[in-house]
Amino acid sequence: MKPSQTVRRVGSLLVKTLLAALLVPVALAFASAATPPPPAQTNITGVWVIKIATPDGNVRKFYFNLKQVGEAVTGRMLFGPGRGIPISEGSLQDGKLHFVVTFGRPPRTRQSSWNGTVKDGKLYLTAPPFPGRPSRTFVAERTSAKALLPPPRLPLPALHDVPYNGLARTPPMGWNSWNKFAGKVDEQDVRGMAKAMVTSGMKAAGYTYVNIDDTWEGPRDAHGNITSNRKFPSMKALAEYVHSLGLKFGIYSSPGPKTCAGYTGTYAHVQQDADTYAKWGVDYLKYDWCSASEIYPGPKVHGYPTVHQMRAVYQEMGDALRKTGRPIVFSLCEYGWDHVWTWGPKVGGNLWRTTGDIEDNWNSMIRNALAQLPIAKYAGPGHWNDADMLEIGNGGMTNEEDRVQFSLWSMLAAPLIAGNDLRTMSPATTAILTNRDVIAIDQDPAGSPVKRISPSQSTELILTRPLADGSHAVGLFNLADHPQSITVNWHAAGVTGKKLRARDLWKHAYVRVSEPSYTATVPAHGVVLLRVR
Ligand code: GLA
């Protein structure tokens, strides 16, 4: 381009800019006189509720507590009082809402990006597709901020000792729906499970309780009575069926307003619900802390609710069950908080969970088992440390690892509550769950505590437990990923005397043993379990 051309270009650009500077305000003034200003954008600050009718007959509510400043939107998505996840990247521009919610804790967080519109005082919110669920639009309506407050706190009874109900002289044995089915369990499944408990030989081996975990609950009726939801048309009829097979029937609830899966809990209806359970024919109650934290949040010790509140809350149900006059096993589930093993029997508890939830894998199973060792002495006839339910047959562990779980739980005198599908289990799984020699260790009437005699960090886990007939159960567990030769010294295991007789409880055969020790090659993640006289 020549210099003269450049001067001309710049000149014309200057003229255009000046013209625009003069004419645009005139044009804008003209336009604003002709069309009214756009309506002020709705401010969406406040609490919004989404109500969803679920196929089982419940109505689920979740909330958005939003704050809008200019176009920026912040806040939380909440599933009930106190239980919320933060909203980020929130904005409302030209009636179009956008934000991101983050589920889970690092490192396992998952983000979902929501879009919405504001129309007629409602929010139309579109959630992105989740695995197995298509994208969905929800209608949120304004609600009072009170919806986010927990119900008022009711007075708790003064502490006292609830008398022992005489049940669970040995650790309870049965089945529970949670590990395999979680929320996908209904009456037909439970009937099938009860029948399979008989036909598989489990009943004959000692299993008794058929327990429905969370998600059976419906809303309360006009009189405040708890109902079962559509998946369980008649709890009474189901209990009668289970009883007709010579088995016992268990259910689940929470002292909070909601269970862990968000279903109706017993809060403010403790005696009324206990009476309903008794009327239905319930023989076992698993009582799971869950949303009770919202009602009794505080003073916390190391982040946990204090012992006084938790003990009083469990005592209230212990008393209520007792008042029904029906023998009902009382299973405490509060993840081992507040040293429950020190007060569990005083609230009428027959067993108490000592850890968080088990998962269907080797590490989780071993973690739960090892956590029982320091507290073994607190268990005994009528009151047991509950290492959580069995994962045997659920597929996350090998048969060898399943044998380890069954052996460990038996050495610990832990409740043997199967968590698999009994209707379709393999012969190998059936053989593990019905190994009577191992069950006899679990069910030993003395209920003496187990002792570890190998160093605590070692991959050799040697456990010993004295049994009522004077013999000892001795378990050689290999926690390593390769086979190991493990040696037990009889004296250290508490086994005394000459002429020892030892039976291998998985080989179902006597093994040659002599003084002063015994060495076995134990497969990776495997066990050799002996009963020695
Ligand atoms: C908690 C318990 C589990 C199970 C679920 C049900 O996580 O620890 O065993 O009962 O609640 O929601």
Side-chain angles (χ1 to χ4, degrees):
M1 198 186 278
K2 286 180 193 165
S4 57
Q5 281 178 315
T6 314
V7 171
R8 264 207 312 275
R9 278 273 162 97
V10 173
S12 85
L13 202 71
L14 212 67
V15 171
K16 277 183 192 159
T17 312
L18 279 170
L19 265 178
L22 288 170
L23 293 180
V24 166
V26 175
L28 280 179
F30 182 75
S32 65
T35 50
Q41 189 168 269
T42 324
N43 189 299
I44 59 171
T45 297
V47 179
W48 301 80
V49 62
I50 291 176
K51 295 180 192 163
I52 306 170
T54 58
D56 64 22
N58 281 292
V59 175
R60 289 320 258 301
K61 291 181 190 165
F62 63 104
Y63 302 88
F64 289 91
N65 191 2
L66 302 176
K67 187 170 176 206
Q68 184 192 341
V69 178
E71 289 181 341
V73 176
T74 52
R76 288 173 86 71
M77 179 179 180
L78 299 108
F79 305 100
R83 291 188 288 157
I85 50 175
I87 286 173
S88 57
E89 299 172 33
S91 65
L92 180 65
Q93 284 172 331
D94 304 326
K96 300 245 177 295
L97 178 61
H98 172 79
F99 57 80
V100 171
V101 289
T102 306
F103 297 95
R105 288 199 191 135
R108 275 195 263 166
T109 51
R110 189 165 49 84
Q111 292 200 317
S112 75
S113 182
W114 292 56
N115 290 305
T117 49
V118 188
K119 216 178 129 199
D120 304 329
K122 291 181 184 164
L123 299 183
Y124 292 81
L125 294 170
T126 304
F130 285 103
R133 222 185 296 162
S135 165
R136 200 171 155 188
T137 298
F138 301 100
V139 184
E141 294 182 5
R142 274 193 191 276
T143 188
S144 152
K146 276 195 203 140
L148 297 182
L149 296 176
R153 193 160 155 169
L154 298 171
L156 285 168
L159 293 183
H160 66 93
D161 288 359
V162 178
Y164 171 46
N165 58 13
L167 302 171
R169 298 288 312 166
T170 59
M173 293 175 66
W175 174 87
N176 172 293
S177 56
W178 188 255
N179 281 1
K180 174 73 185 175
F181 298 93
K184 293 201 178 89
V185 62
D186 64 19
E187 170 158 349
Q188 283 318 309
D189 295 324
V190 178
R191 283 175 180 255
M193 235 51 76
K195 201 166 163 211
M197 193 178 273
V198 178
T199 54
S200 64
M202 285 177 73
K203 181 190 171 204
Y207 293 83
T208 307
Y209 293 97
V210 177
N211 296 348
I212 308 168
D213 205 279
D214 205 350
T215 80
W216 63 264
E217 308 87 340
R220 294 193 178 277
D221 70 12
H223 306 287
N225 295 313
I226 187 72
T227 65
S228 54
N229 64 41
R230 285 185 199 143
K231 297 190 299 163
F232 293 93
S234 170
M235 282 299 198
K236 201 166 181 337
L238 180 55
E240 274 164 17
Y241 174 72
V242 171
H243 292 156
S244 76
L245 299 177
L247 300 168
K248 292 189 187 298
F249 179 61
I251 56 164
Y252 162 104
S253 194
S254 167
K258 296 271 178 230
T259 65
C260 287
Y263 287 72
T264 313
T266 67
Y267 187 68
H269 295 270
V270 174
Q271 188 64 56
Q272 190 177 11
D273 286 0
D275 292 340
T276 302
Y277 305 153
K279 209 172 71 195
W280 286 344
V282 166
D283 308 295
Y284 185 116
L285 173 67
K286 172 174 167 185
Y287 205 41
D288 193 355
W289 183 252
C290 305
S291 68
S293 285
E294 291 160 14
I295 312 281
Y296 310 104
K300 292 188 177 177
V301 179
H302 304 307
Y304 298 137
T306 57
V307 74
H308 171 74
Q309 290 157 328
M310 216 176 234
R311 179 172 162 186
V313 169
Y314 277 96
Q315 178 193 294
E316 199 176 13
M317 181 52 92
D319 278 331
L321 293 177
R322 194 177 150 74
K323 251 197 212 154
T324 67
R326 185 176 175 86
I328 298 176
V329 170
F330 190 24
S331 158
L332 279 46
C333 177
E334 41 79 278
Y335 337 115
W337 292 357
D338 289 323
H339 305 102
V340 58
W341 40 89
T342 62
W343 52 264
K346 296 179 179 164
V347 300
N350 297 109
L351 60 157
W352 45 81
R353 279 272 299 280
T354 54
T355 63
D357 291 10
I358 195 167
E359 288 164 25
D360 185 18
N361 62 68
W362 167 260
N363 287 340
S364 165
M365 183 273 288
I366 291 293
R367 202 181 318 122
N368 270 23
L370 295 180
Q372 315 305 310
L373 299 175
I375 53 171
K377 69 169 188 198
Y378 293 98
H383 51 274
W384 305 100
N385 289 322
D386 179 0
D388 208 352
M389 298 162 296
L390 303 173
E391 291 285 11
I392 293 164
N394 277 339
M397 295 190 284
T398 63
N399 286 337
E400 190 62 48
E401 292 173 333
D402 280 350
R403 277 191 281 277
V404 169
Q405 184 178 22
F406 206 62
S407 307
L408 276 172
W409 264 234
S410 295
M411 288 301 291
L412 296 164
L416 297 178
I417 308 291
N420 59 318
D421 191 337
L422 308 182
R423 300 166 300 188
T424 55
M425 62 184 165
S426 69
T429 297
T430 312
I432 295 170
L433 290 174
T434 56
N435 183 328
R436 289 173 186 235
D437 287 341
V438 182
I439 291 172
I441 307 295
D442 183 76
Q443 297 290 303
D444 187 71
S448 301
V450 71
K451 201 170 123 199
R452 178 175 194 162
I453 56 169
S454 54
S456 65
Q457 294 307 316
S458 167
T459 54
E460 293 181 6
L461 172 63
I462 308 178
L463 299 180
T464 177
R465 179 147 78 91
L467 303 173
D469 65 356
S471 63
H472 277 76
V474 178
L476 280 54
F477 296 88
N478 180 5
L479 307 187
D481 296 337
H482 50 84
Q484 286 197 94
S485 140
I486 301 182
T487 300
V488 55
N489 175 286
W490 294 127
H491 181 74
V495 179
T496 51
K498 305 275 168 216
K499 283 204 180 168
L500 300 179
R501 258 169 84 79
R503 190 169 167 78
D504 183 318
L505 305 186
W506 287 111
K507 287 198 179 129
H508 304 288
Y510 285 97
V511 287
R512 221 177 238 287
V513 294
S514 56
E515 284 284 332
S517 61
Y518 175 71
T519 300
T521 303
V522 187
H525 291 191
V527 57
V528 169
L529 188 63
L530 304 172
R531 184 170 184 142
V532 195
R533 283 166 218 270

